[in-house]
Every structure is written in structure tokens, then in C-alpha cells.
Amino acid sequence: METTLVSVGLGIAAATLGSILWSIAYPERRIWPPQQYTAITPILVWVPTFSLFGILIVLGVLGWGDLAFPNWLRFGLGLPFIVIGNVIVWSEVAHFGVPQTGGAKGTLRTAGMYRYSRNPQYMADIAIVVGWIILTSAPSVLIVGAAAILVLVVAPFAEEPWLNEQYGSEFEAYRASTRRFV
């Protein structure tokens, strides 16, 4: 079962990364962000996202404690990363709404955590994954989690041309004054 979950998790990450890289190489035919937000868009965005996180959760339970991470690190660093990451992600989702978080057009957000990073939701998701890797100390989570982190690091490079197209000089000024990550 674990091998199957790792394969499916890596497959989801690879397909997502491929979509993002396609969108970077061919912005006029981009997949992410979607060119049109339709009724199927939430399914295409959220099913792979929640499936990958679900796989990470199950792999963490299956491999709990298999790596020799000390408990002070697992619970002292891993757990806070997960909690803080979730607080940031869901507070920003609450400001944007689920559709805009999933690629629908909306307004350029420069307040909240977006004052400090142009991509606080991706950074928070990375913190959640890193926290889960540390907390579970499961080898399979390390493998699939690394692939998920790669996707989260690359995604902003597909979004920024779209943001510039949508918001023009407003985004340019924001980009000039705010770091991409931290």
C-alpha cells in the first residue's frame, strides 16, 4: 500500500509540476492559473491538491517515527510549522475566498501576509509539508513531501506573468516592493 501511495503522490506532483512548467514555457496556452475559471476548475485544482495532502497524511501515519528524528525536533519544530502554516493558509483563503485561491480572477491582495511575501499561501503550504515531514519522521513522507515542495516553489513563476497581465502597474509596484518568498 505504501509503495502505491508513494507512486500516486509522485504522479500527482509530477503532473502538477508538468502543468506549471508548461504554463511557464507557454503562457499564452497556460494551464495555471486557468485561462477561464469554469465549473470544472475547482475539481481540477482541489482534487489533486487535497489528494496529495491526504496521501502525505496516510504515509505519515504508516511510517510514523521510522527516521531517527529526536522528539524535541519532531514536536518542537514540526508541530508549530504545521499549526502556523495552517493559520496563514486558511486566514488568506478566508480573505480571497476559495474560487480566487483556486485561480479565479479577483483583486490583487497586498495586505495581510501579502505585505511580507508575494506568496504567503505557498510558503505556508511549504511550512505545513516540512512540519509534517519532521513530525512524522517517515521516509515516504520525505520523498513525496520533497516533490510537493518543488511544485510549491515553482508555482509562483507561472502565476507572476498572469498577475502582471491582470493588474499591470499595480502588480509591478507590488513586485518591486515585496519579496517573492520570504
PDB file of all heavy atoms in Angstrom, residues 38-54:
ATOM      1  N   THR A  38     -14.052  27.883 -14.748  1.00  0.00           N
ATOM      2  CA  THR A  38     -15.343  27.286 -15.068  1.00  0.00           C
ATOM      3  C   THR A  38     -15.790  26.376 -13.927  1.00  0.00           C
ATOM      4  O   THR A  38     -15.083  26.235 -12.918  1.00  0.00           O
ATOM      5  CB  THR A  38     -15.253  26.465 -16.373  1.00  0.00           C
ATOM      6  OG1 THR A  38     -14.376  25.362 -16.146  1.00  0.00           O
ATOM      7  CG2 THR A  38     -14.743  27.318 -17.529  1.00  0.00           C
ATOM      8  N   ALA A  39     -16.899  25.723 -14.094  1.00  0.00           N
ATOM      9  CA  ALA A  39     -17.429  24.830 -13.059  1.00  0.00           C
ATOM     10  C   ALA A  39     -16.489  23.657 -12.780  1.00  0.00           C
ATOM     11  O   ALA A  39     -16.464  23.127 -11.669  1.00  0.00           O
ATOM     12  CB  ALA A  39     -18.805  24.311 -13.474  1.00  0.00           C
ATOM     13  N   ILE A  40     -15.687  23.254 -13.752  1.00  0.00           N
ATOM     14  CA  ILE A  40     -14.789  22.119 -13.550  1.00  0.00           C
ATOM     15  C   ILE A  40     -13.455  22.532 -12.916  1.00  0.00           C
ATOM     16  O   ILE A  40     -12.731  21.690 -12.376  1.00  0.00           O
ATOM     17  CB  ILE A  40     -14.554  21.357 -14.872  1.00  0.00           C
ATOM     18  CG1 ILE A  40     -13.982  19.976 -14.564  1.00  0.00           C
ATOM     19  CG2 ILE A  40     -13.654  22.127 -15.806  1.00  0.00           C
ATOM     20  CD1 ILE A  40     -14.141  18.988 -15.670  1.00  0.00           C
ATOM     21  N   THR A  41     -13.136  23.819 -12.955  1.00  0.00           N
ATOM     22  CA  THR A  41     -11.856  24.287 -12.423  1.00  0.00           C
ATOM     23  C   THR A  41     -11.632  23.881 -10.965  1.00  0.00           C
ATOM     24  O   THR A  41     -10.541  23.378 -10.643  1.00  0.00           O
ATOM     25  CB  THR A  41     -11.710  25.816 -12.594  1.00  0.00           C
ATOM     26  OG1 THR A  41     -11.848  26.139 -13.972  1.00  0.00           O
ATOM     27  CG2 THR A  41     -10.360  26.308 -12.096  1.00  0.00           C
ATOM     28  N   PRO A  42     -12.593  24.062 -10.067  1.00  0.00           N
ATOM     29  CA  PRO A  42     -12.337  23.638  -8.681  1.00  0.00           C
ATOM     30  C   PRO A  42     -11.998  22.152  -8.561  1.00  0.00           C
ATOM     31  O   PRO A  42     -11.161  21.775  -7.736  1.00  0.00           O
ATOM     32  CB  PRO A  42     -13.640  23.959  -7.952  1.00  0.00           C
ATOM     33  CG  PRO A  42     -14.327  24.965  -8.792  1.00  0.00           C
ATOM     34  CD  PRO A  42     -13.899  24.701 -10.204  1.00  0.00           C
ATOM     35  N   ILE A  43     -12.601  21.334  -9.387  1.00  0.00           N
ATOM     36  CA  ILE A  43     -12.305  19.900  -9.352  1.00  0.00           C
ATOM     37  C   ILE A  43     -10.864  19.657  -9.797  1.00  0.00           C
ATOM     38  O   ILE A  43     -10.120  18.909  -9.158  1.00  0.00           O
ATOM     39  CB  ILE A  43     -13.305  19.119 -10.238  1.00  0.00           C
ATOM     40  CG1 ILE A  43     -14.710  19.255  -9.655  1.00  0.00           C
ATOM     41  CG2 ILE A  43     -12.903  17.656 -10.386  1.00  0.00           C
ATOM     42  CD1 ILE A  43     -15.817  18.829 -10.593  1.00  0.00           C
ATOM     43  N   LEU A  44     -10.450  20.322 -10.877  1.00  0.00           N
ATOM     44  CA  LEU A  44      -9.094  20.147 -11.398  1.00  0.00           C
ATOM     45  C   LEU A  44      -8.028  20.704 -10.462  1.00  0.00           C
ATOM     46  O   LEU A  44      -6.893  20.225 -10.462  1.00  0.00           O
ATOM     47  CB  LEU A  44      -8.980  20.809 -12.779  1.00  0.00           C
ATOM     48  CG  LEU A  44      -9.863  20.208 -13.875  1.00  0.00           C
ATOM     49  CD1 LEU A  44      -9.781  21.055 -15.143  1.00  0.00           C
ATOM     50  CD2 LEU A  44      -9.481  18.764 -14.144  1.00  0.00           C
ATOM     51  N   VAL A  45      -8.386  21.703  -9.666  1.00  0.00           N
ATOM     52  CA  VAL A  45      -7.430  22.311  -8.740  1.00  0.00           C
ATOM     53  C   VAL A  45      -7.427  21.594  -7.395  1.00  0.00           C
ATOM     54  O   VAL A  45      -6.364  21.218  -6.878  1.00  0.00           O
ATOM     55  CB  VAL A  45      -7.740  23.818  -8.541  1.00  0.00           C
ATOM     56  CG1 VAL A  45      -6.906  24.413  -7.428  1.00  0.00           C
ATOM     57  CG2 VAL A  45      -7.517  24.579  -9.840  1.00  0.00           C
ATOM     58  N   TRP A  46      -8.605  21.395  -6.818  1.00  0.00           N
ATOM     59  CA  TRP A  46      -8.662  20.934  -5.430  1.00  0.00           C
ATOM     60  C   TRP A  46      -8.563  19.422  -5.260  1.00  0.00           C
ATOM     61  O   TRP A  46      -8.034  18.958  -4.245  1.00  0.00           O
ATOM     62  CB  TRP A  46      -9.905  21.483  -4.740  1.00  0.00           C
ATOM     63  CG  TRP A  46      -9.837  22.974  -4.662  1.00  0.00           C
ATOM     64  CD1 TRP A  46     -10.647  23.866  -5.301  1.00  0.00           C
ATOM     65  CD2 TRP A  46      -8.877  23.765  -3.955  1.00  0.00           C
ATOM     66  NE1 TRP A  46     -10.261  25.157  -5.021  1.00  0.00           N
ATOM     67  CE2 TRP A  46      -9.165  25.125  -4.204  1.00  0.00           C
ATOM     68  CE3 TRP A  46      -7.789  23.453  -3.144  1.00  0.00           C
ATOM     69  CZ2 TRP A  46      -8.421  26.160  -3.658  1.00  0.00           C
ATOM     70  CZ3 TRP A  46      -7.039  24.489  -2.603  1.00  0.00           C
ATOM     71  CH2 TRP A  46      -7.369  25.826  -2.863  1.00  0.00           C
ATOM     72  N   VAL A  47      -9.034  18.639  -6.214  1.00  0.00           N
ATOM     73  CA  VAL A  47      -8.926  17.185  -6.063  1.00  0.00           C
ATOM     74  C   VAL A  47      -7.451  16.749  -6.008  1.00  0.00           C
ATOM     75  O   VAL A  47      -7.057  16.033  -5.082  1.00  0.00           O
ATOM     76  CB  VAL A  47      -9.731  16.431  -7.148  1.00  0.00           C
ATOM     77  CG1 VAL A  47      -9.385  14.946  -7.161  1.00  0.00           C
ATOM     78  CG2 VAL A  47     -11.227  16.632  -6.923  1.00  0.00           C
ATOM     79  N   PRO A  48      -6.595  17.184  -6.937  1.00  0.00           N
ATOM     80  CA  PRO A  48      -5.181  16.796  -6.809  1.00  0.00           C
ATOM     81  C   PRO A  48      -4.522  17.370  -5.551  1.00  0.00           C
ATOM     82  O   PRO A  48      -3.726  16.683  -4.899  1.00  0.00           O
ATOM     83  CB  PRO A  48      -4.524  17.364  -8.071  1.00  0.00           C
ATOM     84  CG  PRO A  48      -5.629  17.639  -9.011  1.00  0.00           C
ATOM     85  CD  PRO A  48      -6.855  17.893  -8.199  1.00  0.00           C
ATOM     86  N   THR A  49      -4.867  18.611  -5.213  1.00  0.00           N
ATOM     87  CA  THR A  49      -4.258  19.239  -4.036  1.00  0.00           C
ATOM     88  C   THR A  49      -4.589  18.464  -2.769  1.00  0.00           C
ATOM     89  O   THR A  49      -3.691  18.078  -2.006  1.00  0.00           O
ATOM     90  CB  THR A  49      -4.740  20.701  -3.900  1.00  0.00           C
ATOM     91  OG1 THR A  49      -4.363  21.424  -5.070  1.00  0.00           O
ATOM     92  CG2 THR A  49      -4.147  21.366  -2.672  1.00  0.00           C
ATOM     93  N   PHE A  50      -5.875  18.217  -2.541  1.00  0.00           N
ATOM     94  CA  PHE A  50      -6.271  17.512  -1.323  1.00  0.00           C
ATOM     95  C   PHE A  50      -5.870  16.042  -1.375  1.00  0.00           C
ATOM     96  O   PHE A  50      -5.591  15.437  -0.333  1.00  0.00           O
ATOM     97  CB  PHE A  50      -7.759  17.696  -1.045  1.00  0.00           C
ATOM     98  CG  PHE A  50      -8.084  19.064  -0.537  1.00  0.00           C
ATOM     99  CD1 PHE A  50      -8.965  19.885  -1.222  1.00  0.00           C
ATOM    100  CD2 PHE A  50      -7.500  19.554   0.622  1.00  0.00           C
ATOM    101  CE1 PHE A  50      -9.256  21.162  -0.748  1.00  0.00           C
ATOM    102  CE2 PHE A  50      -7.780  20.828   1.093  1.00  0.00           C
ATOM    103  CZ  PHE A  50      -8.661  21.637   0.407  1.00  0.00           C
ATOM    104  N   SER A  51      -5.809  15.457  -2.555  1.00  0.00           N
ATOM    105  CA  SER A  51      -5.347  14.073  -2.675  1.00  0.00           C
ATOM    106  C   SER A  51      -3.879  13.968  -2.267  1.00  0.00           C
ATOM    107  O   SER A  51      -3.502  13.048  -1.532  1.00  0.00           O
ATOM    108  CB  SER A  51      -5.518  13.563  -4.108  1.00  0.00           C
ATOM    109  OG  SER A  51      -6.881  13.512  -4.457  1.00  0.00           O
ATOM    110  N   LEU A  52      -3.063  14.902  -2.735  1.00  0.00           N
ATOM    111  CA  LEU A  52      -1.641  14.875  -2.377  1.00  0.00           C
ATOM    112  C   LEU A  52      -1.452  15.068  -0.879  1.00  0.00           C
ATOM    113  O   LEU A  52      -0.684  14.338  -0.244  1.00  0.00           O
ATOM    114  CB  LEU A  52      -0.877  15.941  -3.170  1.00  0.00           C
ATOM    115  CG  LEU A  52       0.640  15.928  -3.014  1.00  0.00           C
ATOM    116  CD1 LEU A  52       1.232  14.564  -3.345  1.00  0.00           C
ATOM    117  CD2 LEU A  52       1.262  16.997  -3.902  1.00  0.00           C
ATOM    118  N   PHE A  53      -2.163  16.028  -0.293  1.00  0.00           N
ATOM    119  CA  PHE A  53      -2.054  16.222   1.156  1.00  0.00           C
ATOM    120  C   PHE A  53      -2.590  15.000   1.901  1.00  0.00           C
ATOM    121  O   PHE A  53      -2.022  14.591   2.918  1.00  0.00           O
ATOM    122  CB  PHE A  53      -2.769  17.504   1.599  1.00  0.00           C
ATOM    123  CG  PHE A  53      -1.888  18.718   1.532  1.00  0.00           C
ATOM    124  CD1 PHE A  53      -1.858  19.514   0.386  1.00  0.00           C
ATOM    125  CD2 PHE A  53      -1.087  19.070   2.598  1.00  0.00           C
ATOM    126  CE1 PHE A  53      -1.032  20.633   0.312  1.00  0.00           C
ATOM    127  CE2 PHE A  53      -0.257  20.185   2.536  1.00  0.00           C
ATOM    128  CZ  PHE A  53      -0.229  20.969   1.400  1.00  0.00           C
ATOM    129  N   GLY A  54      -3.659  14.393   1.404  1.00  0.00           N
ATOM    130  CA  GLY A  54      -4.193  13.183   2.029  1.00  0.00           C
ATOM    131  C   GLY A  54      -3.198  12.037   1.985  1.00  0.00           C
ATOM    132  O   GLY A  54      -3.031  11.293   2.965  1.00  0.00           O
TER     133      GLY A  54
END
